[in-house]
Amino acid sequence: MLAIGVNGYGTIGKRVADAINAQPDMRIVGVTKTSPDHGASLAVDRGFPLYTPADRVDAFESNDIPISGTIDDLLAASDLVVDATPGGVGEQYLERYHEHDVPFILQGAEPDSAVETSFSAIANFDAAIGAKSARVVSCNTTGLSRTISLLDDAFGLTGARVSLIRRGGDPDQADRGPINDVLPDPVTVPSHHGPDLATVLPDITVHTMAYKVPTTLMHTHAVNLTFDTTPTPNEIRSVLDPERRITLLPADQGIRGIASIAEIGRDSGRPRGDIWETCIWDESIAVEGEDVFFTQAIHQESIVVPENIDAIRAMMKTASASESIERTDEHLGVGQWPGTDSAERVLSTANK
Amino acid sequence: MLAIGVNGYGTIGKRVADAINAQPDMRIVGVTKTSPDHGASLAVDRGFPLYTPADRVDAFESNDIPISGTIDDLLAASDLVVDATPGGVGEQYLERYHEHDVPFILQGAEPDSAVETSFSAIANFDAAIGAKSARVVSCNTTGLSRTISLLDDAFGLTGARVSLIRRGGDPDQADRGPINDVLPDPVTVPSHHGPDLATVLPDITVHTMAYKVPTTLMHTHAVNLTFDTTPTPNEIRSVLDPERRITLLPADQGIRGIASIAEIGRDSGRPRGDIWETCIWDESIAVEGEDVFFTQAIHQESIVVPENIDAIRAMMKTASASESIERTDEHLGVGQWPGTDSAERVLSTANK
């Protein structure tokens, strides 16, 4: 059983920790926090040993939150560490990961140059096999890489243009905007998303324009693709529908917007109402001349969770791509909608 | 001097009435309201004779709001009537406009089939010369028709794909959404905007995808175009920059989003802070391979105001396209930013 440390127990870290704990072949050896806040209490409640920088131990102990050791102790005890520290912070830990000679996974806000390979399970699992470091690409890039890599394989991509209508911040990021505004962000074209996609799909050019809008729920992508052989809408469906990490939202279910998807996530018994799938409105799949169009939605807080699990198995060489993806999805409940007992299983408080 | 009636004194009607009153060659003979609300009081304050359906006269008189006559009286007294009734209502008045043999202008929510021609000044002024009926296309279509028709003339359009990030409702539409949501609206592709554009630019196909987001301020368009001859960014600027109805937002002015544009509108001394121009972020103009990109913003409450004035002159054959556009822009203050005294002139309470 792989012993995994999670450095940074925030939006992504707490989800990855639960997902690791739900897998039969890996366990959480500990998680880190720098402040004794409600996230620290949550980690303790869930039975995850808590680690912190040496100079922060006192702050936790004076709040009666038990600390198992320093971050260096955690790195020494881990077979692999998942870095889920805030964007830009992960890079500051590189030296210590290398000192401890512990394989590490960074998240999408860190630079591709800091790791051996960027990673997205469906797009390039094999590139991370045996790697000592990898970077799971960002939520938007993960969502795009799934659909675009599958459709490229099937029909030969010749052009791609995506408008990203981005959520302004996560639900508990009270200092994020905008309110009643739409921000081209960046104003320049392309946004970083197209070039970021090339870190996992190097042969593909995707032109991306990005906008921040007043929602906290999900990102929305207006996707336009062209191919060597223009597929029909049903040929597109036949490629995407079998994938558990892609959900085609049926036309007759009244799923009007991203809030409807979030509501399904909450109804489904999933941990935190998470939506790990790239969600595509089935009715939006259209072919006009040579142009293929569809609209997809991406849950920014959770879509990278299964990819982090797969990156662990790729780097530790414990499963092939198809084996890992199937195992991850099965134990998380990816692709299972209402009726799953996923929350109960994934949010089990019993750490192994 | 042309005597113009405005049927419907709401968001568009009150703006068109002020803009007509600001022109030297036309005057408001009267405006209509069906309810004695604050809009009715505004019309009276501004010196516009108020007309209402015959069965509504009592409601106004019991509120001490003076009524000059019925809608039929207004139609009989008008050289031309601008219909600015709510979407779908204009069509119900067609029979009465025809009975009175009065030329009429409908707004973009009414069907193209109800009029001799749809209209957007830069795109197809001449199509409305001498017409007895015309339809000024919607705000989004007006904004798209300006930039796309000019660039098509200059470089020969071969493809167009636009993602429309639409405002959910106007500032005082308290019953409109969404809140914290993004709605593909419609889910299907294309949205009505592409086909609507073909009513003024029949030789052009524009693929449009549309989304409603939680803002009340402006629409935002992510525009992608391809041409027979791919222009450089500066060649694009040289076509768009001379047009008073198009504003290139400078990169160094901190104009981050549509709220920044709205703030400039409020600072500029314009009536109601209106923004009649198609606003393009200069920095967003990009050419990647054969693909041209830019982002533009559209003030849904006011962009069609100058087009209504031009449609009047085209239908009444009182000016050529260039004469009318120049006269409209000069007397409204289109293309003049901070420092204009436009509000003082356009919101003058002295009706002629």
Side-chain angles (χ1 to χ4, degrees):
Chain A
M1 177 149 327
L2 298 170
I4 310 296
V6 174
N7 188 18
Y9 190 72
T11 301
I12 299 297
K14 65 187 178 185
R15 286 174 166 84
V16 169
D18 289 332
I20 288 169
N21 196 42
Q23 305 297 313
D25 53 344
M26 53 187 79
R27 67 187 180 90
I28 291 294
V29 74
V31 304
T32 76
K33 286 290 294 179
T34 54
S35 296
D37 59 12
H38 68 91
S41 304
L42 176 67
V44 171
D45 285 348
R46 308 191 45 52
F48 297 145
L50 198 55
Y51 293 79
T52 196
D55 61 357
R56 299 293 296 156
V57 173
D58 287 353
F60 284 81
E61 292 186 340
S62 64
N63 278 275
D64 291 328
I65 296 179
I67 288 294
S68 300
T70 67
I71 289 182
D72 285 305
D73 295 332
L74 177 62
L75 298 184
S78 299
D79 295 328
L80 179 150
V81 63
V82 176
D83 183 299
T85 56
V89 175
E91 217 181 343
Q92 302 169 21
Y93 278 100
L94 294 185
E95 202 173 307
R96 287 164 84 176
Y97 299 151
H98 288 300
E99 272 172 21
H100 284 273
D101 196 28
V102 60
F104 61 92
I105 294 171
L106 301 182
Q107 303 305 309
E110 310 304 325
D112 175 64
S113 59
V115 292
E116 289 178 42
T117 182
S118 287
F119 180 85
S120 187
I122 293 176
N124 76 336
F125 184 98
D126 289 358
I129 292 175
K132 297 278 283 182
S133 63
R135 165 183 166 268
V136 171
V137 291
S138 71
C139 49
N140 278 307
T141 307
T142 297
L144 287 169
S145 71
R146 289 181 187 166
T147 43
I148 289 179
S149 65
L150 289 165
L151 293 172
D152 177 40
D153 285 348
F155 308 115
L157 194 78
T158 56
R161 308 158 180 95
V162 181
S163 303
L164 297 96
I165 305 169
R166 297 166 56 202
R167 68 85 178 91
D170 295 338
D172 74 343
Q173 291 181 302
D175 56 347
R176 296 281 285 263
I179 296 170
N180 199 20
D181 201 355
V182 174
L183 304 173
D185 185 37
V187 171
T188 52
V189 180
S191 67
H192 75 273
H193 306 92
D196 195 36
L197 201 53
T199 66
V200 290
L201 295 169
D203 299 331
I204 281 177
T205 299
V206 179
H207 302 296
T208 51
M209 306 175 85
Y211 303 86
K212 274 166 74 169
V213 303
T215 184
T216 62
L217 298 177
M218 301 181 84
H219 299 297
T220 308
H221 297 168
V223 181
N224 164 242
L225 306 173
T226 54
F227 297 97
D228 283 326
T229 310
T230 304
T232 65
N234 279 339
E235 285 170 341
I236 294 166
R237 290 184 181 103
S238 71
V239 170
L240 301 179
D241 200 30
E243 295 293 326
R244 286 176 69 163
R245 293 193 188 174
I246 294 171
T247 290
L248 299 186
L249 305 170
D252 57 358
Q253 297 286 303
I255 304 171
R256 293 186 57 196
I258 55 175
S260 302
I261 302 173
E263 187 74 356
I264 293 171
R266 298 197 298 167
D267 286 339
S268 69
R270 291 172 169 219
R272 301 177 176 89
D274 283 349
I275 299 141
W276 304 290
E277 299 84 356
T278 300
C279 295
I280 300 175
W281 276 270
D282 184 85
E283 230 184 336
S284 75
I285 300 172
V287 180
E288 301 276 323
E290 296 185 347
D291 282 88
V292 169
F293 297 93
F294 56 85
T295 298
Q296 64 184 25
I298 306 297
H299 185 215
Q300 76 279 359
E301 297 173 294
S302 70
I303 193 171
V304 299
V305 170
E307 319 296 310
N308 273 274
I309 305 297
D310 294 326
I312 293 170
R313 293 205 189 93
M315 294 167 69
M316 304 307 281
K317 299 199 279 189
T318 59
S320 69
S322 61
E323 286 165 356
S324 177
I325 290 171
E326 186 179 343
R327 200 179 304 166
T328 302
D329 292 353
E330 187 60 33
H331 292 284
L332 264 182
V334 175
Q336 296 170 28
W337 284 88
T340 177
D341 62 349
S342 172
E344 192 182 333
R345 285 185 288 111
V346 178
L347 289 182
S348 159
T349 54
N351 186 33
K352 289 176 284 201
Chain B
M1 178 153 321
L2 297 170
I4 311 295
V6 173
N7 188 18
Y9 189 73
T11 301
I12 299 298
K14 65 187 179 186
R15 288 173 165 85
V16 169
D18 288 333
I20 288 169
N21 196 40
Q23 305 296 313
D25 54 343
M26 52 187 80
R27 68 187 179 89
I28 291 293
V29 75
V31 303
T32 75
K33 286 291 293 181
T34 54
S35 296
D37 59 12
H38 68 91
S41 304
L42 176 67
V44 171
D45 285 348
R46 306 191 47 52
F48 297 144
L50 199 56
Y51 293 80
T52 197
D55 60 356
R56 299 293 297 155
V57 173
D58 288 352
F60 284 80
E61 291 185 343
S62 63
N63 277 275
D64 291 328
I65 297 179
I67 288 293
S68 299
T70 67
I71 290 183
D72 284 305
D73 295 332
L74 177 62
L75 299 184
S78 300
D79 294 328
L80 179 150
V81 62
V82 176
D83 182 298
T85 55
V89 175
E91 216 181 343
Q92 302 169 21
Y93 278 100
L94 293 186
E95 202 173 307
R96 286 165 82 177
Y97 299 151
H98 288 299
E99 272 172 21
H100 284 274
D101 196 28
V102 60
F104 61 92
I105 294 171
L106 301 182
Q107 304 304 310
E110 310 305 325
D112 174 64
S113 58
V115 293
E116 289 176 42
T117 183
S118 287
F119 180 86
S120 187
I122 293 175
N124 75 336
F125 184 99
D126 289 357
I129 293 176
K132 297 277 284 181
S133 63
R135 164 183 167 267
V136 171
V137 291
S138 72
C139 49
N140 278 308
T141 307
T142 297
L144 287 169
S145 71
R146 289 182 187 166
T147 44
I148 289 179
S149 64
L150 289 164
L151 293 172
D152 177 40
D153 285 348
F155 308 115
L157 194 78
T158 57
R161 307 159 182 95
V162 181
S163 303
L164 297 96
I165 305 169
R166 297 165 55 201
R167 68 86 178 90
D170 295 337
D172 74 343
Q173 291 182 302
D175 56 348
R176 295 281 285 261
I179 296 170
N180 197 22
D181 200 356
V182 174
L183 304 173
D185 185 35
V187 171
T188 51
V189 181
S191 69
H192 74 274
H193 306 91
D196 195 35
L197 201 53
T199 65
V200 291
L201 295 169
D203 298 332
I204 282 176
T205 299
V206 180
H207 302 296
T208 52
M209 304 175 84
Y211 304 86
K212 274 166 75 169
V213 303
T215 183
T216 62
L217 299 176
M218 300 181 84
H219 299 297
T220 308
H221 297 168
V223 181
N224 164 243
L225 306 173
T226 54
F227 297 97
D228 282 326
T229 311
T230 304
T232 66
N234 280 340
E235 286 170 338
I236 294 166
R237 290 184 181 101
S238 71
V239 169
L240 301 179
D241 201 29
E243 296 292 328
R244 288 176 70 162
R245 294 194 188 174
I246 294 171
T247 291
L248 298 186
L249 305 170
D252 58 357
Q253 297 286 304
I255 305 172
R256 293 185 58 197
I258 56 174
S260 303
I261 302 173
E263 188 75 356
I264 294 171
R266 297 196 300 167
D267 286 340
S268 69
R270 291 171 169 220
R272 302 180 176 88
D274 282 349
I275 300 140
W276 304 290
E277 299 83 357
T278 299
C279 295
I280 300 175
W281 276 271
D282 184 85
E283 228 184 337
S284 75
I285 300 172
V287 180
E288 300 276 323
E290 296 185 348
D291 281 88
V292 169
F293 297 93
F294 57 85
T295 298
Q296 63 183 26
I298 306 298
H299 185 215
Q300 76 279 358
E301 296 172 295
S302 69
I303 193 171
V304 299
V305 170
E307 320 296 308
N308 272 274
I309 305 296
D310 294 328
I312 293 170
R313 292 205 189 91
M315 292 168 69
M316 305 307 282
K317 298 198 280 188
T318 59
S320 70
S322 61
E323 286 165 356
S324 177
I325 289 171
E326 187 180 343
R327 200 180 303 168
T328 302
D329 291 354
E330 188 60 33
H331 292 284
L332 263 183
V334 176
Q336 296 169 27
W337 285 87
T340 176
D341 62 348
S342 172
E344 194 184 330
R345 285 185 289 111
V346 177
L347 289 184
S348 158
T349 55
N351 185 33
K352 289 176 282 202

